[in-house]
Amino acid sequence: MNGLTFDIAHLLAGSLVLVSFMMLYQDRLFALINVFALHAVVLALSVAWQAYIQDAHHLYITAAIALVFKAVVIPVGLHRIIQRLGIHRDIETAVGIGPTMLAGIGLVTLSMVLMLRVTPEADPLAREDLAFALSIILLGLLVMVTRRNAVSQVVGFMSLENGLVLAATGAKGMPLVVEISVAFSILIAFIVIGVFLFRIRERFDSVDVGALDDYRGERQ
């Protein structure tokens, strides 16, 4: 593998981490969904580049799935759900943006130190992809934990899954049948979540998960 090939793979994987930080920073739902679409586009480029490096043609299908479903179908669907339900467009956070960003930096640092230490004998590109992937997974979890809006938590979950895809493609360990299965599982989960959001909106007139906590407290 020549230096340019390695640098491009490194740049694309690092860009995914950067876009994950952009998601952490967003305080508007539409902006968050648009950044997630960008996240999916960068993932598709990264997977396509891995397909070229590894001469693994089935990874081009993975890249196409990420581009079509995650960059187009799901963001468009979420936009329509928000408009249809009249959801409040501002995102309520459990923690301020500043502390959240600092926590994100700490998680990325932890990911880099941990993965580079536990995989000293692995291929250099695979090591760095795994480190970046763990960073994306932890940042996706951070989005889910620090956001009170159910839609933003769904976006955090899907960005977390992008990290899993990056890890699997970088480590050369995901067969095509698994990739397709995961893609359709995410699509089905998206449909179920959409129905669930409609039901929450009808029952509580809000998709803030705090409303569910308040209702549970009243029932008790």
Side-chain angles (χ1 to χ4, degrees):
M1 183 187 301
N2 61 48
L4 180 60
T5 301
F6 182 89
D7 289 343
I8 293 175
H10 195 179
L11 173 64
L12 291 171
S15 297
L16 274 171
V17 177
L18 178 61
V19 178
S20 292
F21 273 107
M22 290 172 62
M23 282 194 286
L24 276 179
Y25 185 75
Q26 301 306 315
D27 59 359
R28 303 279 292 179
L29 273 179
F30 280 162
L32 178 64
I33 294 170
N34 291 338
V35 174
F36 171 74
L38 175 62
H39 201 264
V41 170
V42 178
L43 175 68
L45 291 174
S46 181
V47 173
W49 188 250
Q50 288 287 345
Y52 170 75
I53 293 173
Q54 301 175 25
D55 194 26
H57 299 293
H58 69 280
L59 289 180
Y60 288 115
I61 298 175
T62 304
I65 289 172
L67 188 63
V68 172
F69 287 102
K70 294 184 177 180
V72 179
V73 175
I74 290 177
V76 169
L78 286 175
H79 275 289
R80 291 185 177 179
I81 287 174
I82 292 172
Q83 293 172 341
R84 182 83 175 271
L85 296 181
I87 296 172
H88 188 55
R89 309 296 168 82
D90 292 328
I91 301 174
E92 296 185 14
T93 59
V95 182
I97 295 296
T100 300
M101 297 295 283
L102 290 175
I105 293 171
L107 290 174
V108 171
T109 303
L110 175 64
S111 301
M112 296 296 175
V113 172
L114 179 62
M115 292 307 300
L116 294 180
R117 285 191 176 182
V118 300
T119 56
E121 304 300 326
D123 176 76
L125 180 56
R127 291 179 68 202
E128 295 198 4
D129 275 349
L130 288 173
F132 283 130
L134 181 58
S135 299
I136 294 164
I137 290 169
L138 293 179
L139 290 174
L141 284 172
L142 189 60
V143 170
M144 295 177 68
V145 169
T146 58
R147 300 298 189 269
R148 296 178 60 84
N149 183 284
V151 176
S152 59
Q153 292 179 349
V154 169
V155 172
F157 168 75
M158 291 188 293
S159 70
L160 179 157
E161 195 268 339
N162 286 349
L164 294 176
V165 172
L166 178 65
T169 55
K172 308 176 185 179
M174 181 181 283
L176 177 60
V177 65
V178 177
E179 295 162 8
I180 295 176
S181 175
V182 169
F184 279 100
S185 295
I186 293 296
L187 183 61
I188 292 171
F190 168 72
I191 295 171
V192 172
I193 289 168
V195 174
F196 181 61
L197 289 174
F198 274 98
R199 296 297 297 168
I200 292 177
R201 178 65 170 155
E202 288 178 358
R203 180 65 181 83
F204 301 102
D205 198 33
S206 172
V207 292
D208 188 331
V209 295
L212 301 179
D213 292 335
D214 294 340
Y215 178 74
R216 184 174 60 185
E218 291 174 1
R219 289 289 300 272
Q220 291 175 350

